[in-house]
Amino acid sequence: MKTAFAAVMIAIPLCISAMTASAEEKAAATQQNKMASCNKEAGDKKGDERKAFMKECLTDKQARQQDKMKSCNKEAEGKKGDERKAFMSECLKKQ
């Protein structure tokens, strides 16, 4: 009994750290996608002009995503579960 309890107590922190790492990896991948997209749009810009463009581009994309989420959340009122999930996915893609 004590051995099983000890095993569970060791496994819980390991599971939590694995889930946290997964979320962090997803966030990093999203940031990398934003960077790649803005980098393509920056084209031949160099130096301070490029820095300013990249800052604006990355900030702008983040603000637009937040606006999309707010708008879709309002439209999704009353929907629950899989219906809401499907609606949100479609709504965020089309905007």
Side-chain angles (χ1 to χ4, degrees), residues 22-90:
S22 177
E24 289 171 358
E25 289 170 0
K26 287 179 185 178
T30 301
Q31 184 65 22
Q32 287 175 339
N33 290 340
K34 287 182 198 175
M35 287 290 288
S37 174
C38 289
N39 200 32
K40 284 180 187 176
E41 291 177 36
D44 296 344
K45 294 176 174 66
K46 299 207 185 287
D48 290 339
E49 180 186 13
R50 183 180 182 82
K51 262 192 215 177
F53 175 81
M54 291 295 285
K55 182 178 180 180
E56 181 68 28
C57 181
L58 291 170
T59 303
D60 204 31
K61 287 184 183 298
Q62 195 172 33
R64 282 186 283 182
Q65 183 65 21
Q66 287 174 344
D67 289 342
K68 281 185 196 179
M69 285 295 290
K70 287 178 186 175
S71 173
C72 291
N73 267 328
K74 283 183 183 177
E75 291 179 42
E77 279 186 20
K79 293 177 173 52
K80 295 186 191 250
D82 289 339
E83 179 187 11
R84 181 182 175 84
K85 191 186 226 180
F87 173 82
M88 290 295 288
S89 177
E90 193 61 37

